[in-house]
Amino acid sequence: MSVSYKSIQWNRQKLIYDAILLATVGLYIYIFLTVASKTGTGLDLRGIRIRAYGSAAFILLNVILSIGPLTRLDKRFYPLLFNRRHMGVTMFFLALIHAVGLNLPFVPFKVDGGVLTWYHDFGNLKPLVSLFVSNTEYGDLIRFPFESLGAAALVIFFVMAATSHDFWLVNLTAPIWKALHMGVYLAYGLVVSHVILGPLQTNQHPVLTIGVGISLVWIVGLHLLTALREAKLDKPISGTPDEAGFVEIGNVADIPENRAKIVTLAGERVAVFKYDGKLSAVSNVCQHQNGPLGEGKIVDGCITCPWHGYQYLPDAGASPPPFTEKIPTFEVRVIGDRIWLNPQPQAPGTRIEPAI
């Protein structure tokens, strides 16, 4: 998408990424179908296919939830983060096939109905009605209608996939869009509960139980580990402000050329960039998806976010025309070889003369 919402083509990097993604998913489903059909599961091909698509969606969901924390631990995962929304849309379609099959006019291949028709298409009621009325034991933990949990998760995945385009990000505003897409964690909890209360009750094979347990430990543990690391970055700079309110934050030599030093002042992360013999300070939070600007670099004279490439002029905190994103700026001084920063932010887009 361009600044005017005109359709643009995939670049070479995205084409390669999507090809690898689809090939990996296809290979997994092929291996699952081949192995399951030869191990005597007692299911026909349609039942095996339902489980193949469901497990593929669950694994991909775990990958999606792992990418964010992994980028905080190692920057080499950034390419995955840049294309994570493609994974999300793919995961939604896998979950949709698992639930109801796929028979849409714009999709080049068709898949027979999923669990909805497999379990709920043999009575007098329509399958969707049967799904919600066949089991109403909501007060019984063991007999809880796990189908409703899966349906709720699918609705969340649909909303996220439908609003994944930057058109919605811009028009809903970043805070609302971000809050909406944080629903993936609620959906993850619903899916885990759906699997535990559903197939695990009737399937005696321990692989499912072990797999879900590993998934839960991995996702929770990875997020806790990342949170502990991020907490260290939020440790405020200790120092006595001078008469003008400036606080000493370090040495000029500490900052590589065209890179930044991230410090926390007054509860906010600030990125101090060094470029062309100058220093400028801006908020560390990108207006696109709250990306860490201080982990990016100066490209073509602009601070470039490492998440999705959004850019800002370092001295003004404003995106170059025709883009309109703006971030707060901060006054910075150099005394000798020491850097002093005013923790009071200026209005987003306010130009401040760089320190020489």
Side-chain angles (χ1 to χ4, degrees):
M1 185 191 68
S2 70
V3 67
S4 57
Y5 301 129
K6 293 180 180 178
S7 176
I8 60 174
Q9 299 299 320
W10 269 264
N11 56 30
R12 181 175 180 272
Q13 176 187 348
K14 284 188 176 293
L15 286 172
I16 294 174
Y17 175 90
D18 287 348
I20 293 174
L21 172 61
L22 295 177
T24 303
V25 171
L27 179 62
Y28 170 82
I29 292 175
Y30 172 78
I31 293 175
F32 189 103
L33 294 175
T34 302
V35 173
S37 61
K38 294 180 179 180
T39 54
T41 59
L43 298 171
D44 64 9
L45 180 59
R46 185 174 173 185
I48 295 174
R49 187 186 297 125
I50 288 172
R51 284 158 176 76
Y53 284 106
S55 60
F58 184 68
I59 292 172
L60 197 52
L61 176 60
N62 278 269
V63 173
I64 291 168
L65 291 177
S66 300
I67 291 173
L70 286 174
T71 58
R72 312 308 301 143
L73 301 174
D74 192 325
K75 295 181 181 179
R76 287 175 292 185
F77 288 99
Y78 272 137
L80 293 178
L81 183 71
F82 188 82
N83 298 280
R84 181 170 54 177
R85 281 182 284 186
H86 288 212
M87 275 192 182
V89 174
T90 303
M91 183 270 297
F92 163 70
F93 277 106
L94 289 171
L96 183 67
I97 295 173
H98 167 75
V100 299
L102 190 62
N103 188 19
L104 300 174
F106 57 85
V107 177
F109 64 93
K110 313 299 178 186
V111 181
D112 293 335
V115 295
L116 189 63
T117 54
W118 178 259
Y119 291 106
H120 297 276
D121 198 22
F122 301 100
N124 298 326
L125 298 175
K126 292 183 177 181
L128 190 59
V129 176
S130 174
L131 174 71
F132 291 103
V133 303
S134 60
N135 181 4
T136 57
E137 299 290 340
Y138 288 95
D140 189 328
L141 179 61
I142 302 301
R143 300 181 59 192
F144 191 91
F146 64 90
E147 299 92 343
S148 61
L149 300 175
L154 187 61
V155 170
I156 295 174
F157 293 145
F158 167 73
V159 172
M160 293 180 61
T163 60
S164 62
H165 199 279
D166 269 358
F167 172 86
W168 295 102
L169 173 62
V170 172
N171 289 279
L172 290 174
T173 71
I176 294 177
W177 188 90
K178 192 72 174 180
L180 183 67
H181 282 248
M182 288 298 287
V184 67
Y185 290 100
L186 173 60
Y188 174 75
L190 291 171
V191 170
V192 169
S193 301
H194 170 73
V195 175
I196 291 176
L197 294 175
L200 291 186
Q201 292 180 2
T202 57
N203 192 318
Q204 301 302 316
H205 203 288
V207 171
L208 281 175
T209 307
I210 295 173
V212 174
I214 292 174
S215 161
L216 197 57
V217 171
W218 167 259
I219 294 299
V220 174
L222 186 61
H223 280 72
L224 288 176
L225 177 62
T226 307
L228 291 174
R229 181 184 180 278
E230 292 295 296
K232 294 180 180 179
L233 295 178
D234 284 328
K235 184 178 180 181
I237 292 290
S238 58
T240 303
D242 64 9
E243 295 179 355
F246 284 73
V247 177
E248 184 181 346
I249 63 168
N251 195 299
V252 173
D254 295 337
I255 308 177
E257 183 67 16
N258 291 325
R259 296 282 183 171
K261 175 185 179 72
I262 302 174
V263 297
T264 300
L265 288 172
E268 180 175 0
R269 291 183 186 178
V270 180
V272 183
F273 280 88
K274 182 168 74 173
Y275 60 102
D276 300 332
K278 299 177 288 187
L279 292 176
S280 291
V282 299
S283 169
N284 190 55
V285 180
C286 178
Q287 285 297 296
H288 178 221
Q289 288 188 34
N290 297 338
L293 291 176
E295 295 180 19
K297 58 183 179 181
I298 302 287
V299 178
D300 296 331
C302 292
I303 297 169
T304 304
C305 181
W307 280 15
H308 301 99
Y310 271 56
Q311 293 188 306
Y312 305 88
L313 298 171
D315 59 345
S319 295
F323 300 97
T324 59
E325 286 77 17
K326 298 178 181 179
I327 54 176
T329 53
F330 295 80
E331 294 180 281
V332 60
R333 295 175 180 172
V334 175
I335 301 177
D337 60 355
R338 308 300 294 177
I339 305 171
W340 292 75
L341 184 68
N342 189 338
Q344 183 64 38
Q346 302 299 310
T350 302
R351 186 185 184 281
I352 295 178
E353 192 66 28
I356 305 300

